[in-house]
Amino acid sequence: MLNAAGVLARQMTLITVLTLALVASARAQTDPLPSWNEGAAKAAIVGFVGRVTREGGADFVPVEERIATFDNDGTLWSEQPMYVQAAFAMDRVKAMAGDHPEWKDRPALKALLDGDHAALAALGEKGVLQIIAATHSGMTVSAFERAVRDWVRAARHPRFDRPYNEMVYQPMLELLAYLRANGFKTFIVSGGGVEFMRAWAPDAYGIPPEQIVGSSGKTEFRLDGDQASLVKLPEIEFVDDGAGKPVGINHVIGRRPVFAAGNSDGDLQMLQWTTLNAGPRFGVIVHHTDDGREWAYDRSSPVGRLDRALDEAPRRGWTVVNMKTDWKVVFPFEKQ
Amino acid sequence: MLNAAGVLARQMTLITVLTLALVASARAQTDPLPSWNEGAAKAAIVGFVGRVTREGGADFVPVEERIATFDNDGTLWSEQPMYVQAAFAMDRVKAMAGDHPEWKDRPALKALLDGDHAALAALGEKGVLQIIAATHSGMTVSAFERAVRDWVRAARHPRFDRPYNEMVYQPMLELLAYLRANGFKTFIVSGGGVEFMRAWAPDAYGIPPEQIVGSSGKTEFRLDGDQASLVKLPEIEFVDDGAGKPVGINHVIGRRPVFAAGNSDGDLQMLQWTTLNAGPRFGVIVHHTDDGREWAYDRSSPVGRLDRALDEAPRRGWTVVNMKTDWKVVFPFEKQ
């Protein structure tokens, strides 16, 4: 039989357990970044958002100036083992080859169809342009969008056997939502093709088509009776990468961001353009350090090389996110 | 002395007057377009907005697809006696000439400084490009924005002796606000320079910089120590006029509008791209018919020529606004 002290002890334990559960629950409800471990990166982000949204504070930023720009490949979703758009292009060459016997005379397309990766690599940029011309032009903008949608529905990531639009980073989805809840307008500013992204990114990230900036090919307006269309031409219009990112931001958004996130040297100038400015500014680099849950790569990776920007981060005060230690989960499907 | 019938009659009159006043007041409060006369144009606009916002209706358009695009010159503000940006460029050549003795060797700049309009006109597009290169390049994007703001503050319209940013059309301000109140996202899609417009249009129209699409010159990102800047280069990047408007809309907005307004043949393809599509679509042409309050011009005007689009309007079902009969006031300052 329990004595009074024993009963009291058990009651205290019960109360403690209940209290802790309530606190944890309250915390889960109020923590806007539940997939981020407590640490310097999370604290810096939350501190910055607190400062710029505090009315009357020294660092207050009016809502209309709260522009946040995010790189896509390697920052919002995986870019390994190859850029997803490259996987799309390669699948598309294979799917369309039967209707294009003339592709046998184009070195890059032939190398791709023959699986001759050495020959393909040797062609470099010229090869890439041949593949883009074959797969990203000669159709209307709407037909291209349908092709991307169909491919995203059907294709699977080679390592995770998941649809590519599930290969997005759960902590970054939370960061996007957290910024929007605090009055930020979130934009994608990516080296990827703008029309490729618009076909799936709005659903994946909650970012509308008009807030997606990317590389683009030329298009031409055509009117055939009552039929109006925009046709994709086999010419590059704009490359939204490296020093092109501030140019693209200025062209499309027309304001300097106060928050920018990237993961590679292709984002260096966007981070500089965002943070080397008066007032409170925030730069984030996602550092791929987790070859268990995702990949580990930086200075020597052909995809998403992170070298100069990593060197510059401490001097500029950019927050470097260590994927392995800062993120509780990487992909949404890990939580299921 | 009044008999009972007389008292009753006076009371009835008083009641009638009060009732009419109350009705008029209620109408003024609820009429979203008070500067528009009742008529076919206003009825068509109100009818369209009613249909696309009626949930469950056959013509319902989800909020995120309610994209409305407006030309600027001649649609939202006056473009006579010359495009405002041309007046800016001419004033700027005169203001800067002292620091640029070498401009005497450039035919277009010399002609402009000498007031030799025949020589200037004879140079055509080449002359325009010389003037744009001299006045719209060789400085940072921020310095250019300051120059435009300073000019808008100081310059006066030659006929109305008003600042140019007061030369906006009151009925169109109401239309913009009415569409926004009904969930539309309003964009400017203009042949004018995007950076020229961003300096004053957000205040004038309530349209943020990231919803302004226009012509642009090339820019270059430069980093000098801790100083990041974008420098305007003397090269045209994109001309957002005519068949360029659907291209610009696709590039920046990435959705087909459901509502478009223009006033010249430079808007023809934007109107086609918007309205030749499935679902409810609306095209507006502002027809300048009022040489008393503004100007009357169309088919033979060198500025804002309206010819093909006017012919095409009936067949396409576009609403042609007769400025003289459809608008109660033209400029906001008329109401003062």
Side-chain angles (χ1 to χ4, degrees), chain B residues 23-67:
Chain B
V23 167
S25 160
R27 189 178 230 152
Q29 279 167 26
T30 56
D31 184 352
L33 302 172
S35 297
W36 292 70
N37 285 313
E38 302 304 323
K42 181 173 180 172
I45 291 169
V46 173
F48 174 78
V49 171
R51 283 198 306 282
V52 299
T53 55
R54 194 173 301 120
E55 276 192 67
D59 283 347
F60 179 73
V61 174
V63 166
E64 66 271 18
E65 292 171 22
R66 292 183 202 157
I67 302 290

Side-chain angles (χ1 to χ4, degrees), chain B residues 47-200:
Chain B
F48 174 78
V49 171
R51 283 198 306 282
V52 299
T53 55
R54 194 173 301 120
E55 276 192 67
D59 283 347
F60 179 73
V61 174
V63 166
E64 66 271 18
E65 292 171 22
R66 292 183 202 157
I67 302 290
T69 56
F70 286 77
D71 170 58
N72 182 43
D73 296 309
T75 299
L76 294 179
W77 77 348
S78 280
E79 61 187 349
Q80 299 286 2
M82 70 168 85
Y83 293 123
V84 179
Q85 193 171 358
F88 162 76
M90 292 174 81
D91 282 357
R92 200 157 162 76
V93 168
K94 289 172 196 161
M96 294 166 75
D99 298 331
H100 294 274
E102 78 280 9
W103 284 1
K104 294 226 168 78
D105 302 328
R106 297 195 202 152
L109 301 176
K110 184 174 186 309
L112 195 157
L113 290 165
D114 294 347
D116 185 349
H117 293 280
L120 193 57
L123 287 164
E125 194 182 331
K126 201 178 148 193
V128 172
L129 290 176
Q130 271 181 24
I131 293 170
I132 289 179
T135 57
H136 285 63
S137 74
M139 73 209 75
T140 66
V141 165
S142 332
F144 179 76
E145 186 183 331
R146 280 194 300 276
V148 176
R149 279 180 199 271
D150 290 347
W151 180 82
V152 168
R153 239 190 313 271
R156 289 289 178 282
H157 188 279
R159 174 173 158 192
F160 289 89
D161 194 29
R162 292 272 178 175
Y164 283 100
N165 55 356
E166 295 185 15
M167 300 296 298
V168 297
Y169 303 136
Q170 175 64 26
M172 297 305 279
L173 297 181
E174 292 168 8
L175 177 54
L176 287 170
Y178 174 51
L179 290 173
R180 288 195 290 259
N182 281 280
F184 281 81
K185 208 164 183 175
T186 52
F187 288 81
I188 293 174
V189 177
S190 167
V194 66
E195 285 153 5
F196 178 78
M197 291 186 285
R198 282 179 177 150
W200 57 270

Side-chain angles (χ1 to χ4, degrees), chain A residues 88-199:
Chain A
F88 163 75
M90 292 174 82
D91 282 358
R92 201 157 160 77
V93 168
K94 288 173 196 161
M96 295 165 75
D99 298 332
H100 294 274
E102 78 280 10
W103 283 2
K104 293 228 168 76
D105 303 327
R106 296 195 204 153
L109 302 176
K110 185 175 185 306
L112 196 157
L113 290 166
D114 294 347
D116 186 349
H117 293 280
L120 193 57
L123 286 164
E125 195 182 331
K126 201 178 148 192
V128 172
L129 290 176
Q130 270 182 24
I131 293 169
I132 289 179
T135 57
H136 285 64
S137 75
M139 72 209 77
T140 65
V141 165
S142 333
F144 179 74
E145 187 184 331
R146 280 195 300 276
V148 177
R149 279 180 199 272
D150 288 347
W151 180 82
V152 168
R153 238 190 314 270
R156 288 289 179 280
H157 189 280
R159 174 173 157 192
F160 290 88
D161 193 29
R162 292 271 179 176
Y164 283 99
N165 56 356
E166 295 184 14
M167 300 296 299
V168 297
Y169 303 136
Q170 175 63 27
M172 298 304 280
L173 296 181
E174 292 168 8
L175 177 54
L176 287 168
Y178 174 51
L179 290 172
R180 287 194 291 259
N182 281 281
F184 281 81
K185 208 164 181 175
T186 53
F187 288 82
I188 293 174
V189 177
S190 167
V194 66
E195 285 154 5
F196 178 77
M197 291 185 286
R198 282 177 177 151

Side-chain angles (χ1 to χ4, degrees), chain A residues 67 141 185 187 194-195 198 208-211 214 216 219-221 223 225-226 228-230 237-238 243 246-247 250-256 269 272-273 276 315-316, chain B residues 67 141 185 187 194-195 198 208-211 214 216 219-221 223 225-226 228-230 237-238 243 246-247 250-256 269 272-273 276 315-316:
Chain A
I67 301 290
V141 165
K185 208 164 181 175
F187 288 82
V194 66
E195 285 154 5
R198 282 177 177 151
E210 62 270 26
Q211 287 164 224
S216 54
T219 61
E220 186 177 80
F221 177 75
L223 184 71
D226 288 347
S229 60
L230 273 177
E237 181 179 56
F238 179 64
V247 170
N250 180 63
H251 183 62
V252 176
I253 308 177
R255 306 192 202 246
R256 272 172 94 160
Q269 289 86 353
Q272 291 167 337
W273 177 238
L276 298 176
R315 181 156 57 96
R316 302 290 188 202
Chain B
I67 302 290
V141 165
K185 208 164 183 175
F187 288 81
V194 66
E195 285 153 5
R198 282 179 177 150
E210 63 269 24
Q211 286 165 222
S216 54
T219 62
E220 187 177 80
F221 178 74
L223 184 71
D226 287 348
S229 60
L230 273 176
E237 181 179 56
F238 179 64
V247 170
N250 180 63
H251 183 62
V252 176
I253 308 176
R255 306 192 202 245
R256 272 173 92 160
Q269 289 85 353
Q272 291 167 338
W273 178 238
L276 297 177
R315 182 157 55 96
R316 303 289 189 204

